[in-house]
């Protein structure tokens, strides 16, 4: 596992957030929470809690991540599973599914630039902790172990996506 540390400059990072109808309530709360903490947050939708398909909104977030390699993404659906599957179909996006502090931090340590979570799985305070931990943790990008793994993931992407 790569090393991580709290990076106060990470708050300057742009965060793209999206959900489906099952994650809509948490998205609204998390959006305000992150703005209050000083993050620059872009809401990629949806604009209302009407039934919608998670791939549409995870794709909007992922396309933004592809344009800005320093940005991070947050995806919320009912379980987090659908959003994470959809996000990982996009070149250059590495989305971890987190349900606690440990999985959030380890997602960053493994080079994830996006995190997914489930509104029906965890409470809102845990969701805030997960997202804050993910966004403020940084990875040792010069570590050989992580560099090697990310290079291998890029090769796999080139072969399969």
């Amino acid at each position: 596992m790569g090393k991580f540390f709290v990076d106060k400059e990470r708050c300057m990072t742009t965060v793209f957030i999206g959900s489906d109808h099952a994650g809509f309530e948490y998205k609204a709360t998390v959006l305000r929470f992150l703005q209050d903490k000083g993050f620059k947050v872009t809401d990629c939708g949806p604009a209302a809690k009407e039934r919608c398909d998670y791939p549409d909104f995870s794709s909007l977030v992922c396309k933004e991540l592809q344009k800005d390699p320093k940005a991070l993404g947050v995806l919320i659906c009912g379980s987090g599973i659908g959003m994470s599957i959809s996000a990982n179909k996009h070149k250059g996006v590495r989305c971890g599914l987190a349900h606690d502090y440990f999985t959030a931090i380890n997602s960053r340590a493994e080079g994830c630039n996006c995190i997914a979570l489930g509104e029906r799985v965890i409470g809102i305070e845990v969701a805030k902790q997960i997202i804050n931990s993910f966004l403020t943790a940084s990875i040792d990008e010069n570590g050989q172990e992580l560099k090697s793994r990310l290079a291998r993931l890029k090769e796999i992407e080139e072969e399969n996506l």
Side-chain angles (χ1 to χ4, degrees):
M1 171 174 53
K3 295 181 182 177
F4 58 88
F5 56 93
V6 173
D7 183 354
K8 293 189 187 332
E9 289 187 28
R10 187 60 80 179
C11 287
M12 302 305 290
T13 300
T14 299
V15 178
F16 294 97
I17 186 168
S19 73
D20 65 0
H21 59 283
F24 184 79
E25 297 295 328
Y26 275 22
K27 181 186 67 123
T29 302
V30 167
L31 185 66
R32 286 188 306 276
F33 169 75
L34 293 176
Q35 289 169 335
D36 289 348
K37 288 188 127 331
F39 286 94
K40 179 183 173 191
V41 187
T42 300
D43 185 349
C44 295
K49 194 178 177 172
E50 297 168 8
R51 194 209 164 282
C52 58
D53 294 323
Y54 61 81
D56 296 333
F57 294 98
S58 70
S59 289
L60 292 174
V61 169
C62 292
K63 287 176 183 175
E64 294 299 329
L65 295 178
Q66 289 171 325
K67 291 182 215 171
D68 182 356
K70 293 185 185 245
L72 295 172
V74 175
L75 298 169
I76 307 170
C77 64
S79 67
I81 296 169
M83 284 288 200
S84 63
I85 291 169
S86 177
N88 284 313
K89 300 291 184 184
H90 292 79
K91 225 177 219 191
V93 176
R94 295 171 306 280
C95 184
L97 174 59
H99 51 269
D100 57 24
Y101 173 82
F102 180 79
T103 53
I105 293 295
N106 279 282
S107 292
R108 285 298 295 140
E110 293 296 337
C112 289
N113 56 358
C114 189
I115 195 164
L117 49 108
E119 182 170 327
R120 296 174 181 156
V121 179
I122 56 175
I124 188 61
E125 294 305 316
V126 172
K128 289 178 188 176
Q129 180 192 43
I130 288 169
I131 293 166
N132 188 61
S133 300
F134 175 77
L135 296 177
T136 58
S138 188
I139 55 176
D140 178 8
E141 295 177 8
N142 295 316
Q144 283 304 106
E145 190 174 296
L146 182 58
K147 273 186 172 180
S148 171
R149 288 177 179 163
L150 293 179
R152 184 63 187 119
L153 285 173
K154 189 171 182 170
E155 289 173 11
I156 292 168
E157 277 183 353
E158 294 301 323
E159 293 169 7
N160 296 291
L161 290 180

